[in-house]
Coordinates of all heavy atoms in Angstrom, one line a residue:
M252 N -211.7 -40.7 -84.6 CA -210.6 -41.4 -84.1 C -210.9 -41.7 -82.6 O -211.3 -40.9 -81.9 CB -209.3 -40.5 -84.1 CG -208.1 -41.2 -83.8 SD -207.0 -40.7 -82.4 CE -207.9 -39.7 -81.3
E253 N -210.6 -43.0 -82.3 CA -210.8 -43.4 -80.9 C -209.5 -43.7 -80.3 O -208.6 -44.4 -80.8 CB -211.7 -44.6 -80.9 CG -212.1 -45.1 -79.5 CD -213.1 -46.2 -79.5 OE1 -214.0 -46.2 -80.4 OE2 -212.9 -47.1 -78.7
V254 N -209.2 -43.2 -79.1 CA -208.0 -43.5 -78.3 C -208.3 -44.7 -77.4 O -209.2 -44.7 -76.6 CB -207.6 -42.3 -77.5 CG1 -206.4 -42.6 -76.7 CG2 -207.4 -41.1 -78.4
A255 N -207.5 -45.7 -77.6 CA -207.6 -46.9 -76.7 C -207.2 -46.6 -75.3 O -206.5 -45.6 -75.1 CB -206.8 -48.0 -77.3
N256 N -207.5 -47.4 -74.4 CA -207.0 -47.3 -73.0 C -205.5 -47.2 -73.1 O -204.9 -47.9 -74.0 CB -207.5 -48.5 -72.2 CG -208.9 -48.4 -71.8 OD1 -209.5 -47.3 -71.8 ND2 -209.5 -49.5 -71.5
A257 N -204.9 -46.5 -72.2 CA -203.5 -46.2 -72.3 C -202.8 -46.9 -71.1 O -202.6 -46.2 -70.1 CB -203.2 -44.8 -72.3
P258 N -202.5 -48.2 -71.1 CA -201.9 -48.8 -70.0 C -200.6 -48.2 -69.6 O -199.8 -47.8 -70.4 CB -201.7 -50.3 -70.4 CG -202.1 -50.4 -71.8 CD -202.6 -49.1 -72.2
G259 N -200.4 -48.0 -68.3 CA -199.1 -47.4 -67.8 C -199.2 -45.8 -67.8 O -198.2 -45.2 -67.4
F260 N -200.2 -45.3 -68.3 CA -200.4 -43.8 -68.4 C -201.5 -43.3 -67.4 O -202.5 -44.0 -67.3 CB -200.7 -43.3 -69.8 CG -199.6 -43.4 -70.8 CD1 -199.5 -44.5 -71.7 CD2 -198.6 -42.5 -70.8 CE1 -198.5 -44.6 -72.6 CE2 -197.5 -42.6 -71.8 CZ -197.5 -43.7 -72.6
V261 N -201.3 -42.2 -66.8 CA -202.3 -41.5 -66.0 C -203.3 -40.9 -67.0 O -202.8 -40.1 -67.9 CB -201.7 -40.5 -65.1 CG1 -202.8 -39.7 -64.4 CG2 -200.8 -41.1 -64.1
T262 N -204.5 -41.2 -67.0 CA -205.5 -40.7 -67.9 C -206.6 -39.8 -67.3 O -207.4 -39.2 -68.0 CB -206.1 -41.8 -68.8 OG1 -206.8 -42.7 -67.9 CG2 -205.1 -42.5 -69.6
Q263 N -206.6 -39.8 -66.0 CA -207.6 -38.9 -65.3 C -206.8 -38.2 -64.1 O -206.1 -38.9 -63.3 CB -208.8 -39.7 -64.7 CG -209.6 -40.2 -65.9 CD -211.0 -40.5 -65.4 OE1 -211.4 -40.2 -64.3 NE2 -211.8 -41.0 -66.4
R264 N -207.0 -36.9 -64.1 CA -206.2 -36.1 -63.1 C -206.9 -34.7 -63.0 O -207.2 -34.1 -64.0 CB -204.8 -36.0 -63.5 CG -203.9 -35.3 -62.6 CD -202.4 -35.4 -63.1 NE -201.6 -34.5 -62.3 CZ -200.9 -34.9 -61.3 NH1 -201.0 -36.2 -60.9 NH2 -200.1 -34.1 -60.6
H265 N -207.1 -34.2 -61.8 CA -207.6 -32.9 -61.6 C -209.0 -32.7 -62.3 O -209.2 -31.6 -62.9 CB -206.6 -31.8 -62.0 CG -205.3 -31.9 -61.2 ND1 -205.3 -31.6 -59.9 CD2 -204.1 -32.2 -61.6 CE1 -204.0 -31.8 -59.5 NE2 -203.3 -32.1 -60.5
G266 N -209.8 -33.7 -62.4 CA -211.1 -33.6 -63.0 C -211.0 -33.6 -64.5 O -212.0 -33.4 -65.2
I267 N -209.9 -33.9 -65.1 CA -209.7 -34.0 -66.6 C -209.6 -35.4 -67.0 O -208.8 -36.2 -66.5 CB -208.5 -33.2 -67.0 CG1 -208.7 -31.7 -66.7 CG2 -208.3 -33.4 -68.5 CD1 -207.4 -30.9 -66.8
D268 N -210.5 -35.8 -68.0 CA -210.4 -37.1 -68.6 C -209.6 -37.0 -69.9 O -210.1 -36.5 -70.9 CB -211.8 -37.6 -68.9 CG -211.9 -39.0 -69.5 OD1 -210.8 -39.5 -70.0 OD2 -212.9 -39.6 -69.5
L269 N -208.4 -37.4 -69.8 CA -207.5 -37.2 -71.0 C -207.9 -37.9 -72.2 O -207.8 -37.4 -73.3 CB -206.0 -37.6 -70.6 CG -205.0 -37.3 -71.7 CD1 -205.0 -35.8 -72.1 CD2 -203.6 -37.7 -71.2
I270 N -208.5 -39.1 -72.1 CA -208.9 -39.9 -73.2 C -210.0 -39.1 -73.9 O -210.0 -39.0 -75.2 CB -209.4 -41.3 -72.8 CG1 -208.3 -42.1 -72.1 CG2 -209.9 -42.0 -74.0 CD1 -207.0 -42.3 -73.0
Q271 N -211.0 -38.6 -73.2 CA -212.0 -37.8 -73.8 C -211.4 -36.5 -74.5 O -211.8 -36.2 -75.6 CB -213.0 -37.3 -72.7 CG -214.2 -36.5 -73.2 CD -215.2 -37.2 -74.0 OE1 -215.2 -38.5 -74.0 NE2 -215.9 -36.5 -74.8
E272 N -210.5 -35.9 -73.8 CA -209.8 -34.7 -74.4 C -209.1 -35.1 -75.7 O -209.2 -34.3 -76.6 CB -208.8 -34.2 -73.3 CG -208.1 -32.9 -73.7 CD -209.1 -31.7 -73.8 OE1 -210.0 -31.6 -73.0 OE2 -208.8 -30.9 -74.7
L273 N -208.4 -36.2 -75.7 CA -207.7 -36.6 -76.9 C -208.7 -37.0 -78.1 O -208.3 -37.0 -79.2 CB -206.8 -37.7 -76.6 CG -205.5 -37.4 -75.8 CD1 -204.8 -38.6 -75.4 CD2 -204.6 -36.4 -76.6
E274 N -209.9 -37.4 -77.7 CA -210.8 -37.8 -78.8 C -211.7 -36.6 -79.3 O -211.9 -36.5 -80.5 CB -211.8 -38.9 -78.2 CG -211.1 -40.2 -78.0 CD -212.0 -41.3 -77.4 OE1 -213.1 -40.9 -77.0 OE2 -211.6 -42.4 -77.5
H275 N -212.1 -35.7 -78.4 CA -213.1 -34.7 -78.8 C -212.7 -33.3 -78.3 O -213.4 -32.3 -78.7 CB -214.4 -35.1 -78.2 CG -214.9 -36.4 -78.6 ND1 -215.2 -36.8 -79.9 CD2 -215.0 -37.6 -77.8 CE1 -215.6 -38.1 -79.9 NE2 -215.4 -38.6 -78.7
G276 N -211.8 -33.1 -77.4 CA -211.6 -31.8 -76.8 C -210.6 -30.9 -77.5 O -210.2 -31.1 -78.7
F277 N -210.2 -29.9 -76.8 CA -209.2 -28.9 -77.3 C -207.9 -29.6 -77.8 O -207.4 -29.3 -78.8 CB -208.9 -27.9 -76.2 CG -207.8 -26.9 -76.6 CD1 -208.1 -25.9 -77.6 CD2 -206.6 -27.0 -76.1 CE1 -207.1 -25.0 -77.9 CE2 -205.6 -26.0 -76.4 CZ -205.9 -25.0 -77.3
A278 N -207.4 -30.6 -77.0 CA -206.2 -31.3 -77.4 C -206.3 -32.0 -78.7 O -205.4 -31.9 -79.5 CB -205.8 -32.3 -76.3
A279 N -207.5 -32.6 -79.0 CA -207.7 -33.3 -80.2 C -207.7 -32.3 -81.4 O -207.0 -32.6 -82.4 CB -209.0 -34.0 -80.2
R280 N -208.3 -31.2 -81.2 CA -208.4 -30.2 -82.3 C -207.0 -29.6 -82.6 O -206.6 -29.5 -83.7 CB -209.4 -29.1 -82.0 CG -210.8 -29.6 -82.0 CD -211.8 -28.5 -81.8 NE -211.7 -27.7 -80.6 CZ -212.2 -28.1 -79.4 NH1 -212.9 -29.2 -79.3 NH2 -212.0 -27.3 -78.4
L281 N -206.2 -29.3 -81.5 CA -204.9 -28.8 -81.6 C -204.0 -29.8 -82.3 O -203.2 -29.4 -83.2 CB -204.4 -28.3 -80.3 CG -203.0 -27.7 -80.3 CD1 -203.0 -26.4 -81.1 CD2 -202.5 -27.4 -78.9
I282 N -204.0 -31.0 -81.9 CA -203.1 -32.0 -82.4 C -203.4 -32.2 -83.9 O -202.5 -32.3 -84.7 CB -203.3 -33.3 -81.6 CG1 -202.6 -33.2 -80.2 CG2 -202.7 -34.5 -82.4 CD1 -202.9 -34.3 -79.3
R283 N -204.7 -32.3 -84.3 CA -205.0 -32.5 -85.7 C -204.5 -31.3 -86.5 O -203.9 -31.4 -87.6 CB -206.5 -32.6 -85.9 CG -207.0 -34.0 -85.6 CD -208.5 -34.2 -86.1 NE -209.4 -33.2 -85.5 CZ -210.1 -33.4 -84.4 NH1 -209.9 -34.5 -83.7 NH2 -210.9 -32.5 -83.9
S284 N -204.7 -30.1 -86.0 CA -204.2 -28.9 -86.7 C -202.7 -28.8 -86.8 O -202.2 -28.6 -87.9 CB -204.7 -27.6 -85.9 OG -204.2 -26.5 -86.5
K285 N -202.0 -29.1 -85.8 CA -200.5 -29.1 -85.8 C -200.0 -30.2 -86.7 O -199.0 -29.9 -87.5 CB -199.9 -29.2 -84.4 CG -200.2 -28.1 -83.5 CD -199.4 -26.8 -83.9 CE -199.6 -25.7 -82.9 NZ -198.8 -24.5 -83.2
A286 N -200.5 -31.4 -86.7 CA -200.1 -32.4 -87.5 C -200.3 -32.1 -89.0 O -199.5 -32.4 -89.9 CB -200.8 -33.8 -87.2
R287 N -201.5 -31.5 -89.3 CA -201.8 -31.1 -90.7 C -200.8 -30.0 -91.1 O -200.2 -30.1 -92.2 CB -203.2 -30.5 -90.7 CG -203.6 -30.1 -92.1 CD -205.1 -29.7 -92.2 NE -205.4 -28.6 -91.3 CZ -206.2 -28.8 -90.2 NH1 -206.8 -30.0 -90.0 NH2 -206.5 -27.8 -89.4
Q288 N -200.5 -29.0 -90.3 CA -199.5 -28.0 -90.6 C -198.1 -28.6 -90.9 O -197.4 -28.3 -91.9 CB -199.4 -27.0 -89.5 CG -200.6 -26.1 -89.4 CD -200.6 -25.2 -88.2 OE1 -199.6 -25.2 -87.5 NE2 -201.7 -24.5 -87.9
L289 N -197.7 -29.5 -90.0 CA -196.4 -30.1 -90.1 C -196.3 -31.0 -91.4 O -195.3 -31.0 -92.0 CB -196.1 -31.0 -88.9 CG -195.7 -30.4 -87.6 CD1 -195.7 -31.4 -86.5 CD2 -194.3 -29.7 -87.8
S290 N -197.4 -31.7 -91.7 CA -197.3 -32.6 -92.8 C -197.2 -31.9 -94.1 O -197.0 -32.5 -95.2 CB -198.5 -33.5 -92.8 OG -199.7 -32.8 -93.1
Q291 N -197.4 -30.6 -94.1 CA -197.3 -29.8 -95.4 C -196.0 -29.1 -95.5 O -195.8 -28.3 -96.4 CB -198.5 -28.8 -95.4 CG -199.8 -29.5 -95.5 CD -201.0 -28.5 -95.3 OE1 -200.8 -27.3 -95.1 NE2 -202.2 -29.0 -95.5
K292 N -195.1 -29.3 -94.5 CA -193.8 -28.7 -94.6 C -192.7 -29.7 -94.6 O -192.8 -30.8 -93.9 CB -193.6 -27.8 -93.3 CG -194.6 -26.6 -93.3 CD -194.4 -25.8 -92.1 CE -195.5 -24.7 -92.0 NZ -195.3 -23.9 -90.8
S293 N -191.6 -29.4 -95.3 CA -190.4 -30.3 -95.3 C -189.8 -30.3 -93.9 O -189.8 -29.3 -93.2 CB -189.4 -29.7 -96.3 OG -188.3 -30.5 -96.4
P294 N -189.3 -31.4 -93.5 CA -189.1 -32.7 -94.2 C -190.2 -33.7 -94.2 O -190.1 -34.8 -94.6 CB -187.9 -33.2 -93.4 CG -188.2 -32.8 -92.0 CD -188.8 -31.5 -92.1
F295 N -191.4 -33.2 -93.7 CA -192.5 -34.2 -93.6 C -193.3 -34.2 -94.9 O -193.2 -33.3 -95.8 CB -193.4 -33.8 -92.5 CG -192.7 -33.7 -91.2 CD1 -192.4 -32.4 -90.6 CD2 -192.3 -34.8 -90.5 CE1 -191.7 -32.3 -89.4 CE2 -191.6 -34.7 -89.3 CZ -191.3 -33.5 -88.8
T296 N -194.2 -35.2 -95.0 CA -195.1 -35.3 -96.2 C -196.5 -35.5 -95.7 O -196.7 -35.8 -94.5 CB -194.7 -36.4 -97.1 OG1 -194.9 -37.7 -96.4 CG2 -193.2 -36.3 -97.6
R297 N -197.4 -35.4 -96.5 CA -198.8 -35.6 -96.1 C -199.1 -37.0 -95.6 O -199.9 -37.3 -94.7 CB -199.8 -35.3 -97.3 CG -199.8 -33.9 -97.6 CD -200.6 -33.5 -98.8 NE -200.3 -32.2 -99.2 CZ -201.2 -31.3 -99.4 NH1 -202.4 -31.5 -99.3 NH2 -200.8 -30.0 -99.8
S298 N -198.3 -38.0 -96.0 CA -198.4 -39.3 -95.5 C -197.9 -39.5 -94.1 O -198.2 -40.5 -93.5 CB -197.7 -40.3 -96.5 OG -196.3 -40.1 -96.5
D299 N -197.2 -38.5 -93.6 CA -196.7 -38.5 -92.2 C -197.8 -38.0 -91.2 O -197.5 -38.1 -90.0 CB -195.5 -37.6 -92.1 CG -194.3 -38.2 -92.8 OD1 -194.1 -39.4 -92.8 OD2 -193.5 -37.3 -93.4
R300 N -198.9 -37.5 -91.7 CA -199.8 -36.9 -90.8 C -200.3 -37.8 -89.6 O -200.3 -37.3 -88.5 CB -201.0 -36.4 -91.6 CG -202.0 -35.6 -90.8 CD -203.0 -35.0 -91.7 NE -204.1 -34.4 -90.9 CZ -205.2 -33.9 -91.4 NH1 -205.4 -33.8 -92.7 NH2 -206.1 -33.4 -90.6
D301 N -200.7 -39.0 -89.9 CA -201.2 -39.9 -88.9 C -200.1 -40.2 -87.8 O -200.3 -40.2 -86.6 CB -201.7 -41.2 -89.4 CG -203.0 -41.0 -90.2 OD1 -203.7 -40.0 -89.9 OD2 -203.4 -41.9 -91.0
D302 N -198.9 -40.4 -88.3 CA -197.7 -40.6 -87.4 C -197.5 -39.4 -86.5 O -197.2 -39.5 -85.3 CB -196.5 -41.0 -88.2 CG -196.6 -42.4 -88.8 OD1 -197.4 -43.2 -88.4 OD2 -195.9 -42.6 -89.9
L303 N -197.5 -38.2 -87.1 CA -197.3 -37.0 -86.4 C -198.4 -36.8 -85.3 O -198.1 -36.5 -84.1 CB -197.3 -35.8 -87.3 CG -196.1 -35.7 -88.2 CD1 -196.3 -34.7 -89.3 CD2 -194.8 -35.4 -87.4
E304 N -199.6 -37.1 -85.6 CA -200.7 -37.0 -84.6 C -200.5 -38.0 -83.5 O -200.6 -37.6 -82.3 CB -202.1 -37.3 -85.3 CG -202.7 -36.2 -86.1 CD -204.1 -36.5 -86.6 OE1 -204.8 -37.2 -85.9 OE2 -204.4 -35.9 -87.6
Q305 N -200.0 -39.2 -83.8 CA -199.8 -40.2 -82.8 C -198.6 -39.7 -81.9 O -198.7 -39.9 -80.7 CB -199.5 -41.5 -83.4 CG -199.2 -42.6 -82.4 CD -199.0 -44.0 -83.0 OE1 -198.8 -44.1 -84.2 NE2 -199.1 -45.0 -82.2
Q306 N -197.6 -39.2 -82.5 CA -196.4 -38.7 -81.6 C -196.9 -37.6 -80.7 O -196.5 -37.6 -79.5 CB -195.3 -38.2 -82.5 CG -194.6 -39.3 -83.2 CD -193.4 -38.8 -84.1 OE1 -192.9 -37.7 -83.8 NE2 -193.1 -39.5 -85.2
L307 N -197.7 -36.7 -81.2 CA -198.2 -35.6 -80.3 C -199.1 -36.1 -79.2 O -199.0 -35.7 -78.1 CB -198.9 -34.5 -81.2 CG -198.0 -33.8 -82.2 CD1 -198.8 -32.9 -83.1 CD2 -196.9 -33.0 -81.5
R308 N -200.0 -37.1 -79.5 CA -200.8 -37.7 -78.5 C -200.0 -38.4 -77.4 O -200.3 -38.3 -76.3 CB -201.8 -38.6 -79.1 CG -203.0 -38.0 -79.8 CD -204.1 -39.0 -80.1 NE -203.7 -40.0 -81.1 CZ -203.8 -39.8 -82.4 NH1 -204.2 -38.7 -82.9 NH2 -203.4 -40.8 -83.2
I309 N -199.1 -39.2 -77.9 CA -198.2 -39.9 -76.9 C -197.5 -39.0 -76.0 O -197.4 -39.2 -74.8 CB -197.3 -40.9 -77.7 CG1 -198.1 -42.0 -78.3 CG2 -196.2 -41.4 -76.7 CD1 -197.3 -42.9 -79.2
D310 N -196.9 -37.9 -76.6 CA -196.2 -36.9 -75.7 C -197.1 -36.3 -74.7 O -196.8 -36.2 -73.5 CB -195.6 -35.9 -76.6 CG -194.5 -35.1 -75.9 OD1 -193.6 -35.8 -75.2 OD2 -194.4 -33.9 -75.9
L311 N -198.4 -36.0 -75.1 CA -199.3 -35.4 -74.1 C -199.7 -36.4 -73.1 O -199.7 -36.1 -71.9 CB -200.5 -34.9 -74.8 CG -201.5 -34.1 -74.0 CD1 -200.9 -32.9 -73.2 CD2 -202.7 -33.6 -74.8
L312 N -199.9 -37.7 -73.5 CA -200.2 -38.7 -72.5 C -199.0 -38.9 -71.5 O -199.2 -39.0 -70.3 CB -200.3 -40.1 -73.2 CG -201.7 -40.5 -73.7 CD1 -201.6 -41.6 -74.7 CD2 -202.6 -40.8 -72.5
D313 N -197.8 -38.8 -72.0 CA -196.6 -39.0 -71.2 C -196.5 -37.8 -70.2 O -196.1 -38.0 -69.0 CB -195.4 -39.1 -72.0 CG -194.1 -39.4 -71.3 OD1 -194.2 -40.3 -70.4 OD2 -193.1 -38.8 -71.5
R314 N -196.8 -36.6 -70.6 CA -196.6 -35.4 -69.7 C -197.8 -35.1 -68.9 O -197.7 -34.3 -68.0 CB -196.2 -34.3 -70.6 CG -194.8 -34.5 -71.3 CD -194.5 -33.3 -72.2 NE -193.3 -33.7 -73.0 CZ -192.1 -33.6 -72.6 NH1 -191.8 -33.3 -71.3 NH2 -191.1 -33.9 -73.4
F315 N -198.9 -35.7 -69.1 CA -200.1 -35.4 -68.4 C -200.0 -35.6 -66.9 O -200.5 -34.8 -66.1 CB -201.3 -36.3 -68.9 CG -202.6 -36.0 -68.3 CD1 -203.2 -34.8 -68.3 CD2 -203.3 -37.0 -67.6 CE1 -204.5 -34.6 -67.7 CE2 -204.5 -36.8 -67.0 CZ -205.1 -35.6 -67.1
Q316 N -199.2 -36.5 -66.5 CA -199.0 -36.7 -65.0 C -198.3 -35.6 -64.3 O -198.4 -35.4 -63.1 CB -198.2 -38.0 -64.8 CG -196.7 -37.9 -65.3 CD -196.0 -39.2 -65.2 OE1 -196.3 -40.0 -64.3 NE2 -195.1 -39.5 -66.1
H317 N -197.7 -34.7 -65.1 CA -197.1 -33.5 -64.5 C -197.9 -32.3 -64.5 O -197.5 -31.2 -64.1 CB -195.8 -33.2 -65.3 CG -194.8 -34.4 -65.3 ND1 -194.2 -34.8 -64.1 CD2 -194.4 -35.2 -66.3 CE1 -193.4 -35.8 -64.4 NE2 -193.5 -36.1 -65.7
Y318 N -199.2 -32.4 -65.1 CA -200.0 -31.2 -65.1 C -200.4 -30.8 -63.7 O -200.8 -31.5 -62.9 CB -201.3 -31.5 -65.9 CG -202.3 -30.4 -65.8 CD1 -202.1 -29.1 -66.2 CD2 -203.6 -30.6 -65.2 CE1 -203.0 -28.1 -66.1 CE2 -204.5 -29.6 -65.1 CZ -204.2 -28.4 -65.5 OH -205.1 -27.3 -65.4
D319 N -200.2 -29.5 -63.4 CA -200.5 -28.9 -62.1 C -201.4 -27.6 -62.4 O -200.8 -26.6 -62.9 CB -199.2 -28.5 -61.4 CG -199.4 -27.9 -60.1 OD1 -200.6 -27.6 -59.7 OD2 -198.4 -27.6 -59.4
P320 N -202.7 -27.7 -62.1 CA -203.5 -26.5 -62.3 C -203.1 -25.3 -61.5 O -203.6 -24.2 -61.9 CB -204.9 -27.0 -61.9 CG -204.7 -28.2 -61.0 CD -203.4 -28.8 -61.4
E321 N -202.3 -25.4 -60.5 CA -201.8 -24.2 -59.8 C -200.7 -23.5 -60.6 O -200.5 -22.3 -60.3 CB -201.3 -24.6 -58.4 CG -202.4 -25.1 -57.5 CD -202.0 -25.4 -56.1 OE1 -200.9 -25.0 -55.8 OE2 -202.8 -26.0 -55.4
R322 N -200.1 -24.1 -61.6 CA -199.1 -23.5 -62.4 C -199.6 -23.0 -63.7 O -199.0 -22.0 -64.2 CB -197.9 -24.5 -62.6 CG -197.2 -24.9 -61.3 CD -196.1 -25.8 -61.6 NE -195.0 -25.0 -62.3 CZ -194.1 -25.6 -63.1 NH1 -194.1 -26.9 -63.2 NH2 -193.2 -24.8 -63.7
A323 N -200.6 -23.6 -64.3 CA -201.1 -23.2 -65.6 C -202.5 -23.8 -65.8 O -202.8 -24.9 -65.2 CB -200.2 -23.7 -66.7
N324 N -203.3 -23.1 -66.6 CA -204.6 -23.7 -66.9 C -204.4 -24.8 -67.9 O -203.3 -25.0 -68.5 CB -205.6 -22.6 -67.3 CG -205.3 -22.0 -68.7 OD1 -205.0 -22.8 -69.6 ND2 -205.4 -20.7 -68.8
W325 N -205.4 -25.6 -68.1 CA -205.4 -26.8 -68.9 C -205.0 -26.5 -70.4 O -204.1 -27.1 -70.9 CB -206.7 -27.5 -68.9 CG -206.8 -28.7 -69.7 CD1 -207.7 -29.0 -70.7 CD2 -205.9 -29.9 -69.8 NE1 -207.5 -30.2 -71.3 CE2 -206.4 -30.7 -70.8 CE3 -204.7 -30.2 -69.1 CZ2 -205.8 -31.9 -71.1 CZ3 -204.1 -31.4 -69.4 CH2 -204.6 -32.3 -70.4
K326 N -205.6 -25.5 -71.0 CA -205.3 -25.2 -72.4 C -203.8 -24.7 -72.5 O -203.1 -25.0 -73.5 CB -206.2 -24.1 -72.9 CG -207.6 -24.7 -73.2 CD -208.5 -23.7 -73.9 CE -209.9 -24.4 -74.1 NZ -210.8 -23.5 -74.8
S327 N -203.4 -23.9 -71.6 CA -202.0 -23.4 -71.6 C -201.0 -24.6 -71.5 O -200.0 -24.6 -72.2 CB -201.7 -22.4 -70.5 OG -202.4 -21.3 -70.6
F328 N -201.3 -25.6 -70.7 CA -200.5 -26.8 -70.5 C -200.4 -27.5 -71.9 O -199.3 -27.9 -72.3 CB -201.0 -27.7 -69.4 CG -200.3 -28.9 -69.3 CD1 -199.1 -29.0 -68.6 CD2 -200.8 -30.1 -69.8 CE1 -198.4 -30.2 -68.4 CE2 -200.1 -31.3 -69.6 CZ -198.9 -31.3 -68.9
I329 N -201.6 -27.7 -72.5 CA -201.6 -28.4 -73.8 C -200.8 -27.7 -74.8 O -200.0 -28.3 -75.5 CB -203.1 -28.6 -74.2 CG1 -203.9 -29.5 -73.3 CG2 -203.1 -29.1 -75.7 CD1 -205.4 -29.5 -73.6
L330 N -201.0 -26.4 -74.9 CA -200.3 -25.6 -75.9 C -198.8 -25.7 -75.7 O -198.0 -25.9 -76.6 CB -200.7 -24.1 -75.8 CG -202.0 -23.8 -76.5 CD1 -202.5 -22.4 -76.0 CD2 -201.9 -23.9 -78.0
A331 N -198.3 -25.6 -74.4 CA -196.9 -25.7 -74.2 C -196.3 -27.1 -74.5 O -195.3 -27.2 -75.2 CB -196.6 -25.4 -72.7
V332 N -197.0 -28.2 -74.2 CA -196.6 -29.5 -74.5 C -196.5 -29.7 -76.0 O -195.5 -30.2 -76.5 CB -197.5 -30.6 -73.8 CG1 -197.2 -32.0 -74.3 CG2 -197.3 -30.6 -72.3
I333 N -197.6 -29.4 -76.7 CA -197.6 -29.6 -78.1 C -196.6 -28.8 -78.8 O -195.9 -29.2 -79.7 CB -199.0 -29.4 -78.7 CG1 -200.0 -30.4 -78.0 CG2 -199.1 -29.5 -80.2 CD1 -199.7 -31.9 -78.1
D334 N -196.5 -27.5 -78.5 CA -195.5 -26.6 -79.1 C -194.1 -27.0 -78.9 O -193.3 -27.0 -79.9 CB -195.7 -25.1 -78.7 CG -197.0 -24.5 -79.2 OD1 -197.5 -25.0 -80.2 OD2 -197.3 -23.4 -78.7
R335 N -193.8 -27.5 -77.7 CA -192.4 -28.0 -77.5 C -192.1 -29.3 -78.3 O -191.0 -29.4 -78.8 CB -192.2 -28.3 -76.0 CG -192.1 -27.0 -75.2 CD -191.8 -27.3 -73.7 NE -191.9 -26.1 -73.0 CZ -192.5 -25.9 -71.9 NH1 -193.1 -26.9 -71.3 NH2 -192.5 -24.7 -71.3
R336 N -193.1 -30.1 -78.4 CA -192.9 -31.4 -79.2 C -192.8 -31.0 -80.7 O -191.9 -31.6 -81.4 CB -194.1 -32.3 -79.0 CG -193.9 -33.6 -79.7 CD -192.7 -34.4 -79.2 NE -192.7 -35.7 -79.8 CZ -191.5 -36.2 -80.3 NH1 -190.4 -35.5 -80.2 NH2 -191.5 -37.3 -80.9
V337 N -193.6 -30.1 -81.2 CA -193.5 -29.7 -82.6 C -192.1 -29.1 -82.8 O -191.4 -29.5 -83.8 CB -194.6 -28.7 -82.9 CG1 -194.2 -28.0 -84.3 CG2 -195.9 -29.4 -83.0
A338 N -191.6 -28.3 -81.9 CA -190.2 -27.7 -82.1 C -189.2 -28.8 -82.1 O -188.2 -28.7 -82.9 CB -190.0 -26.7 -81.0
S339 N -189.3 -29.8 -81.3 CA -188.3 -30.9 -81.2 C -188.3 -31.7 -82.5 O -187.3 -32.3 -82.8 CB -188.5 -31.8 -80.0 OG -189.6 -32.6 -80.1
L340 N -189.5 -31.8 -83.2 CA -189.5 -32.5 -84.4 C -188.7 -31.9 -85.5 O -188.3 -32.6 -86.5 CB -191.0 -32.7 -84.9 CG -191.8 -33.6 -84.0 CD1 -193.3 -33.5 -84.4 CD2 -191.4 -35.1 -84.1
Y341 N -188.5 -30.6 -85.4 CA -187.7 -29.9 -86.4 C -186.2 -29.9 -86.1 O -185.4 -29.5 -87.0 CB -188.1 -28.4 -86.5 CG -189.3 -28.2 -87.4 CD1 -190.5 -27.8 -86.8 CD2 -189.3 -28.5 -88.8 CE1 -191.6 -27.7 -87.6 CE2 -190.4 -28.3 -89.5 CZ -191.5 -27.9 -89.0 OH -192.6 -27.7 -89.8
K342 N -185.8 -30.4 -85.0 CA -184.3 -30.5 -84.6 C -183.7 -31.7 -85.3 O -184.2 -32.7 -85.6 CB -184.2 -30.6 -83.1 CG -184.5 -29.2 -82.5 CD -184.2 -29.3 -81.0 CE -184.6 -28.0 -80.3 NZ -184.3 -28.0 -78.9

């Protein structure tokens, strides 16, 4: 999967290349895993998996500008963002 340039989004901050992270890094693996898990549970279906991945990527793109390495390490930030988004999808 290739992530296109994200106009209007901050994609590099604190030495982190978010596009690279979304394509090959921890964020990519976590997003795929969470989308797969969600797509196997009601009210979602397996055909929702790509849409779920996209929603999780967009949310991380949107929140990336708020990442502060003095408050949390990168993986903790990703986990928090993704877990909160997953929880909101069940509401």
